[in-house]
């Protein structure tokens, strides 16, 4: 990693809530000497995958975007395990984001065609799409509009969108609630004879609580999918597929470019679903649609680590095309 990248790892993020964080660029920082300052986004909206750790997003993605677009504000939106609820139960949280965009970015009405002209949207996994949809829902309520169509300059979908199958949904939420991996103690600089603290394992109570929570969550997801199947049979409408399409087609329009980053090795999001969605996007009138397929060794939301040079080259190309 370059020196700029190492410095970016320590970028200060201002906590707005447990879901929203913002990085404000230094207004006194000099323009980059590569002549690209006029081609940088003014705002990066970064929607994380379900259960993403704040520090991981900060080091891996906020730092990466800052290294390439040093004068851009970066707003990080975390997809949280509690997002399994219907939109109506948690979309009010996005009032905070709308207020933030108005106060810091002078974006007061997302329904305006030029509101997001200088904005880059990066959406990770179906969890990120879910959050993006919640933002659109709340913006429509705030503006009393029948619908709000976002028109950012660039949208990149990382490991999404996939079909909302029962197995994929359970896997995504259980992974988000899984205990973090145990840390292995590093060798002591004083040699092998030095005393080292053993890695701590979760307590019995925390393990039991987590299992009970996972069991309850799987039960709720099962009931929700059962309800959606019954509704589909009665009304001949698939509400889950409608949500998938609305999230990234009807309520989101990239006026400049749209890029899909995916792979055959993704065990949660099938590559055929991504390719099908890109085809639908072209049919819906999105002219600049790009597919960036990584090798099968690259799994779900780890493409930036599998081949960081290619990944960030795609990010820059998506904006500057």
């Amino acid at each position: 990693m370059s020196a700029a990248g190492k410095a970016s790892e320590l970028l200060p993020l201002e906590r707005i809530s447990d879901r929203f964080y913002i990085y404000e660029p230094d207004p006194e920082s000099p323009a980059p000497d590569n002549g690209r300052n006029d081609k940088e986004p003014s705002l990066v909206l970064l929607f994380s995958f379900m259960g993403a750790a704040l520090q991981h997003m900060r080091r891996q993605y906020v730092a990466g975007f800052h290294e390439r677009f040093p004068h851009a504000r970066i707003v990080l939106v975390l997809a949280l395990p509690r997002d399994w609820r219907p939109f109506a139960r948690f979309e009010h949280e996005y009032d905070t984001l709308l207020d933030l965009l108005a106060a810091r970015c002078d974006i007061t009405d997302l329904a305006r065609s030029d509101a997001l002209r200088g904005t880059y949207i990066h959406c990770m996994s179906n969890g990120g799409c879910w959050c993006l949809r919640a933002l659109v829902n709340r913006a429509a309520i705030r503006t009393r509009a029948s619908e709000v169509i976002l028109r950012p300059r660039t949208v990149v979908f990382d490991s999404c969108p996939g079909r909302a199958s029962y197995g994929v949904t359970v896997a995504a939420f259980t992974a988000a609630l899984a205990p973090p991996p145990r840390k292995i103690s590093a060798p002591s600089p004083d040699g092998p004879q030095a005393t080292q603290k053993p890695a701590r394992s979760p307590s019995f109570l925390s393990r039991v609580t987590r299992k009970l929570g996972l069991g309850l969550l799987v039960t709720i997801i099962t009931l929700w999918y059962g309800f959606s199947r019954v509704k589909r049979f009665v009304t001949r409408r698939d509400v889950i597929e409608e949500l998938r399409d609305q999230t990234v087609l009807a309520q989101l329009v990239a006026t400049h470019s749209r890029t899909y980053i995916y792979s055959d090795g993704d065990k949660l999001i099938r590559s055929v679903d991504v390719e099908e969605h890109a085809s639908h996007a072209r049919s819906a009138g999105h002219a600049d649609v790009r597919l960036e397929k990584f090798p099968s060794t690259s799994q779900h939301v780890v493409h930036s680590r599998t081949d960081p040079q290619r990944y960030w080259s795609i990010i820059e190309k998506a904006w500057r095309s």
Side-chain angles (χ1 to χ4, degrees):
M1 181 180 290
S2 66
K6 292 178 180 178
S8 296
E9 289 183 347
L10 301 178
L11 285 177
L13 278 181
E14 179 183 348
R15 183 183 188 274
I16 307 302
S17 71
D18 66 337
R19 185 188 294 278
F20 306 117
Y21 296 81
I22 186 171
Y23 165 73
E24 290 280 5
D26 182 1
E28 302 299 326
S29 62
D33 58 9
N34 53 17
R36 301 183 304 179
N37 191 36
D38 61 332
K39 297 182 180 179
E40 291 184 18
S42 57
L43 172 66
V44 173
L45 278 175
L46 174 56
F47 294 87
S48 84
F49 57 92
M50 179 66 64
L54 172 62
Q55 293 307 315
H56 170 69
M57 293 300 299
R58 175 173 174 253
R59 290 192 177 97
Q60 188 73 16
Y61 295 98
V62 175
F65 277 107
H66 174 69
E67 183 175 352
R68 287 145 187 91
F69 307 126
H71 294 79
R73 281 189 178 92
I74 302 173
V75 174
L76 171 62
V77 181
L78 294 179
L80 304 174
R82 65 174 181 263
D83 292 350
W84 59 265
R85 300 171 297 172
F87 284 127
R89 299 296 301 274
F90 74 91
E91 67 182 14
H92 66 277
E93 296 180 30
Y94 286 78
D95 283 335
T96 301
L97 178 55
L98 292 170
D99 291 340
L100 179 67
L101 295 177
R104 302 289 185 90
C105 309
D106 197 28
I107 300 175
T108 57
D109 184 2
L110 290 180
R112 286 179 49 186
S113 60
D114 62 344
L116 299 177
R117 183 174 55 188
T119 300
Y120 178 118
I121 291 180
H122 193 86
C123 198
M124 304 186 70
S125 192
N126 282 358
C129 291
W130 191 256
C131 292
L132 180 59
R133 182 69 168 85
L135 171 62
V136 171
N137 275 15
R138 202 59 188 177
I141 293 173
R142 288 272 290 258
T143 58
R144 298 183 179 180
S146 58
E147 69 175 7
V148 170
I149 298 177
L150 303 185
R151 292 183 172 88
R153 169 169 164 166
T154 300
V155 178
V156 172
F157 295 107
D158 182 341
S159 305
C160 61
R163 293 193 178 280
S165 68
Y166 172 77
V168 166
T169 303
V170 170
F173 278 95
T174 53
L177 291 176
R182 294 178 61 184
K183 295 183 178 179
I184 304 300
S185 301
S188 170
D190 297 325
Q193 301 301 321
T195 303
Q196 300 181 30
K197 294 182 178 180
R200 300 179 65 180
S201 60
S203 66
F204 173 77
L205 180 60
S206 66
R207 293 197 301 270
V208 171
T209 302
R210 191 179 299 276
K211 288 182 178 180
L212 289 174
L214 287 174
L216 177 61
L217 182 58
V218 170
T219 300
I220 292 172
I221 293 173
T222 302
L223 292 174
W224 162 247
Y225 269 86
F227 164 76
S228 71
R229 297 305 96 179
V230 171
K231 187 170 183 179
R232 177 183 182 181
F233 177 78
V234 173
T235 65
R236 304 300 179 183
R237 292 169 56 239
D238 190 332
V239 293
I240 295 176
E241 283 302 298
E242 285 182 0
L243 173 63
R244 176 174 178 263
D245 290 341
Q246 291 171 359
T247 299
V248 289
L249 284 179
Q251 271 76 26
L252 178 63
V253 178
T255 57
H256 197 77
S257 72
R258 169 188 294 244
T259 300
Y260 296 83
I261 300 175
Y262 68 110
S263 80
D264 285 332
D266 193 325
K267 296 180 180 178
L268 291 181
I269 304 297
R270 298 191 309 165
S271 59
V272 65
D273 292 342
V274 176
E275 292 167 350
E276 178 189 47
H277 201 277
S279 177
H280 289 169
R282 290 192 183 99
S283 299
H286 302 281
D288 189 2
V289 177
R290 304 180 183 191
L291 288 167
E292 296 286 351
K293 191 173 187 178
F294 277 64
S296 58
T297 54
S298 188
Q299 299 182 12
H300 191 64
V301 296
V302 298
H303 308 308
S304 65
R305 287 184 286 175
T306 301
D307 189 344
Q309 183 175 359
R310 180 188 175 193
Y311 185 90
W312 290 108
S313 175
I314 291 170
I315 299 307
E316 292 184 279
K317 184 178 179 180
W319 176 258
R320 298 187 175 114
S321 61

